[in-house]
């Protein structure tokens, strides 16, 4: 056959594999690469933290084996180490997972087959949970199930409890994204990306969050120096109640920059509000945008002027439905429902922990994603809405560095007054306790 003056292009074996014209099993050199990478990855995963030098040696040998034009057939998984670099023209197929705790660099023209999980540029970090009670252990469980952290250490004054909780969660990990979960001491918090404080006495039926103030302030006072000395660069999420008071205590007495301290605040109240409104309007919760500001407690309020359903002001939503909405809706006091939800759950089952755990894990996920996200969390006020030197919830921007900014949403005069009223109440509590 004549080529009419054109040079015939000769493809390499790797290019033929990439184009589907050749099976990798027909190229012994690439099969050997795949087997080597598989063997090394298995050995690496089994080392965990016991032999850092050997783990580092295997890591470098392993990453070097993922060169340009490499064919790799799973199951192969990488979950630890530094920067993973995948060369150009690589073919990776079936159960190949890279969830590095730093960054993943992928070369040009790579082909990824089914069941491939690669997280480019996403940090899957370490979390430290202080408190192994219902809330702390449920947060650890939720993080593990959702693959939010690769390492979770649980610290509790009751060591047997933290050991039991960690073991119980860890034994389900084979069916989740791999993670190390163990009970530890404050020194194990070193290097944590996030420290979550859930320790302290829980609310009992009939108690308010403020009733716990002095007792949990004393507990937090003993924890602050113990954990901060080992984790001075971590982002701290305060969950224990009264969360606004303990967030204030952390800001004032930890010596940490305020951007590293976030109270879970009214993020749970906001979730409860959106759940309530989605049921009321019979619409997806994803289409409801409304917030709860102020104290995580009885003086919280909803700035209805900011509330929307599908970007339509909430008081005009039903009027905008094309075919009208003949649903007869009772006039409900949504704010009272939100404020009393926690007490109702405690009266019925003894504690609340599922929804708050999901809410806290949402904060962690937003921090790890690196994408700034708005949410209602408790932070120190510096003149917003005329409030200063108190922690309570308003719209904040949360990202990889913790608190990345605040949004001073326009409120009505009545709503601003409600915000100041909530701040005044918290100030009275601050003035009545001993830090």
């Amino acid at each position: 056959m004549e080529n009419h003056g054109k040079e015939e292009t000769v493809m390499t074996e790797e290019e033929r594999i990439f184009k589907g014209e050749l099976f990798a099993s027909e190229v012994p050199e690439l099969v050997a690469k795949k087997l080597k990478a598989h063997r090394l990855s298995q050995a690496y995963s089994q080392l965990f933290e016991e032999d850092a030098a050997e783990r580092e040696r295997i890591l470098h040998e392993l990453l070097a084996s993922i060169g340009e034009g490499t064919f790799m057939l799973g199951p192969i998984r990488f979950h630890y180490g530094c920067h993973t670099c995948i060369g150009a023209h690589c073919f990776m197929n079936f159960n190949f997972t890279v969830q590095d705790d730093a960054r993943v660099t992928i070369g040009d023209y790579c082909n990824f087959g089914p069941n491939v999980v690669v997280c480019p540029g996403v940090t899957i970090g370490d979390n430290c949970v202080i408190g192994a009670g219902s809330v702390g252990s449920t947060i650890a469980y939720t993080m593990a199930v959702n693959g939010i952290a690769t390492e979770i250490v649980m610290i509790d004054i009751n060591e047997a409890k933290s050991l039991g909780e960690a073991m119980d969660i860890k034994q389900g990990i084979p069916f989740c994204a791999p993670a190390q979960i163990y009970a530890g001491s404050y020194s194990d918090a070193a290097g944590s990306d996030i420290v979550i404080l859930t320790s302290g006495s829980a609310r009992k039926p009939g108690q308010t969050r403020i009733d716990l103030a002095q007792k949990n302030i004393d507990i937090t006072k003993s924890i602050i120096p113990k954990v901060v000395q080992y984790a001075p660069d971590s982002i701290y999420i305060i969950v224990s109640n009264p969360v606004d008071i303990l967030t204030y205590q952390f800001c004032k007495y930890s010596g940490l920059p305020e951007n590293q301290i976030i109270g879970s605040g009214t993020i749970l109240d906001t979730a409860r509000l959106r759940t309530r409104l989605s049921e009321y309007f019979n619409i997806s919760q994803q289409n409801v945008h409304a917030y709860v500001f102020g104290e995580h407690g009885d003086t919280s309020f909803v700035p209805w002027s900011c509330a929307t359903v599908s970007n339509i002001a909430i008081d005009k939503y039903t009027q905008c439905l094309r075919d009208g909405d003949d649903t007869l809706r009772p006039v409900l006091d949504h704010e009272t429902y939100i404020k009393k939800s926690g007490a109702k759950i405690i009266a019925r089952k003894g504690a609340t922990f599922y929804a708050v755990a999901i809410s806290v894990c949402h904060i962690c996920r937003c921090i790890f994603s690196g994408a700034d996200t708005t949410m209602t969390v408790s932070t120190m006020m510096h003149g917003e809405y005329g409030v200063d030197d108190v922690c309570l919830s308003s719209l904040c921007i949360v990202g990889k560095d913790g608190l990345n900014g605040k949004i001073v949403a326009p409120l009505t005069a009545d709503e601003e007054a409600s915000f100041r009223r909530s701040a005044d109440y918290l100030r009275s509590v601050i003035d009545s306790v001993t830090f």
Side-chain angles (χ1 to χ4, degrees):
M1 183 175 180
E2 298 181 9
N3 61 13
H4 301 288
K6 294 182 179 180
E7 293 186 7
E8 189 172 335
T9 302
V10 178
M11 289 190 295
T12 65
E13 290 174 332
E14 287 89 347
E15 288 173 331
R16 291 178 66 194
I17 291 172
F18 183 73
K19 291 180 177 294
E21 296 180 4
L22 180 68
F23 288 106
S25 58
E26 299 176 88
V27 187
E29 297 84 0
L30 295 182
V31 172
K33 276 187 178 182
K34 184 267 292 186
L35 292 174
K36 176 184 176 184
H38 179 73
R39 187 185 72 253
L40 289 170
S41 68
Q42 295 300 314
Y44 185 77
S45 296
Q46 290 169 6
L47 282 172
F48 292 104
E49 58 183 17
E50 296 172 6
D51 191 337
E54 178 66 6
R55 191 172 72 247
E56 189 70 16
R57 184 194 69 76
I58 290 177
L59 176 67
H60 286 296
E61 187 177 355
L62 181 60
L63 297 185
S65 72
I66 312 180
E68 182 173 345
T70 300
F71 178 93
M72 303 187 76
L73 179 65
I76 300 173
R77 300 187 176 192
F78 307 104
H79 305 283
Y80 315 104
C82 42
H83 286 68
T84 299
C85 182
I86 301 173
H89 295 284
C90 287
F91 189 103
M92 301 175 195
N93 191 36
F94 191 67
N95 286 343
F96 182 90
T97 305
V98 176
Q99 289 182 303
D100 206 315
D101 64 356
R103 290 193 177 270
V104 179
T105 303
I106 304 173
D108 297 331
Y109 309 114
C110 288
N111 190 344
F112 298 94
N115 296 331
V116 173
V117 181
V118 180
C119 304
V122 175
T123 299
I124 308 294
D126 301 334
N127 281 41
C128 169
V129 180
I130 300 176
S134 296
V135 174
S137 56
T138 307
I139 290 172
Y141 168 81
T142 307
M143 285 194 296
V145 169
N146 289 280
I148 294 173
T150 56
E151 183 175 356
I152 302 169
V153 56
M154 302 180 70
I155 303 169
D156 197 280
I157 192 171
N158 184 343
E159 293 182 10
K161 181 75 159 59
S162 58
L163 283 166
E165 295 289 0
M167 181 182 292
D168 195 13
I169 298 169
K170 181 169 62 177
Q171 290 176 350
I173 292 301
F175 304 110
C176 306
Q180 298 182 67
I181 302 172
Y182 55 94
S185 60
Y186 288 107
S187 61
D188 294 306
S192 294
D193 296 301
I194 298 174
V195 174
I196 303 169
L197 185 73
T198 67
S199 55
S201 296
R203 286 173 68 192
K204 295 180 174 60
Q207 275 190 317
T208 68
R209 297 177 183 89
I210 298 302
D211 290 337
L212 304 173
Q214 190 61 63
K215 185 174 183 180
N216 284 352
I217 285 170
D218 294 340
I219 293 171
T220 303
K221 183 178 181 179
S222 69
I223 290 172
I224 289 175
K226 295 176 183 176
V227 66
V228 169
Q229 67 170 317
Y230 293 109
D233 300 319
S234 301
I235 295 170
Y236 286 76
I237 300 177
I238 316 302
V239 184
S240 306
N241 278 316
V243 64
D244 301 294
I245 304 300
L246 299 184
T247 302
Y248 179 87
Q249 180 184 17
F250 233 93
C251 287
K252 288 292 186 180
Y253 299 99
S254 68
L256 298 175
E258 289 180 2
N259 70 290
Q260 291 178 225
I261 303 167
I262 298 171
S264 57
T266 61
I267 191 169
L268 173 57
D269 307 75
T270 293
R272 286 170 172 164
L273 172 64
R274 293 181 180 180
T275 300
R276 175 73 159 183
L277 294 176
S278 72
E279 293 172 347
Y280 186 72
F281 289 107
N282 194 28
I283 194 75
S284 168
Q285 296 174 16
Q286 303 297 319
N287 296 127
V288 177
H289 295 278
Y291 306 95
V292 178
F293 279 24
E295 175 208 3
H296 176 49
D298 291 340
T299 64
S300 66
F301 71 99
V302 178
W304 292 106
S305 63
C306 301
T308 66
V309 177
S310 299
N311 211 33
I312 300 168
I314 200 162
D315 57 346
K316 294 181 171 57
Y317 172 71
T318 55
Q319 304 168 23
C320 295
L321 295 175
R322 182 186 177 113
D323 298 324
D325 186 353
D326 297 327
T327 304
L328 182 61
R329 293 188 177 87
V331 176
L332 300 178
D333 186 349
H334 300 296
E335 295 191 45
T336 299
Y337 170 84
I338 296 157
K339 293 174 185 178
K340 301 301 181 185
S341 286
K344 286 183 178 179
I345 294 169
I346 290 169
R348 291 168 176 170
K349 57 174 281 191
T352 64
F353 40 86
Y354 293 126
V356 67
I358 295 170
S359 301
V360 171
C361 287
H362 173 69
I363 300 174
C364 294
R365 189 183 289 109
C366 292
I367 291 170
F368 285 140
S369 75
D372 286 350
T373 306
T374 60
M375 60 185 73
T376 52
V377 290
S378 185
T379 59
M380 183 66 77
M381 293 289 116
H382 294 286
E384 298 88 351
Y385 306 113
V387 173
D388 190 55
D389 195 39
V390 66
C391 290
L392 70 169
S393 292
S394 61
L395 264 180
C396 297
I397 301 172
V398 175
K400 65 182 180 64
D401 297 319
L403 178 66
N404 285 349
K406 296 184 183 182
I407 298 174
V408 184
L411 304 181
T412 66
D414 286 344
E415 289 166 350
E416 285 197 20
S418 295
F419 193 85
R420 288 192 291 270
R421 207 161 31 243
S422 188
D424 289 343
Y425 174 69
L426 288 169
R427 168 48 61 186
S428 70
V429 176
I430 289 170
D431 291 341
S432 69
V433 296
T434 302
F435 290 106

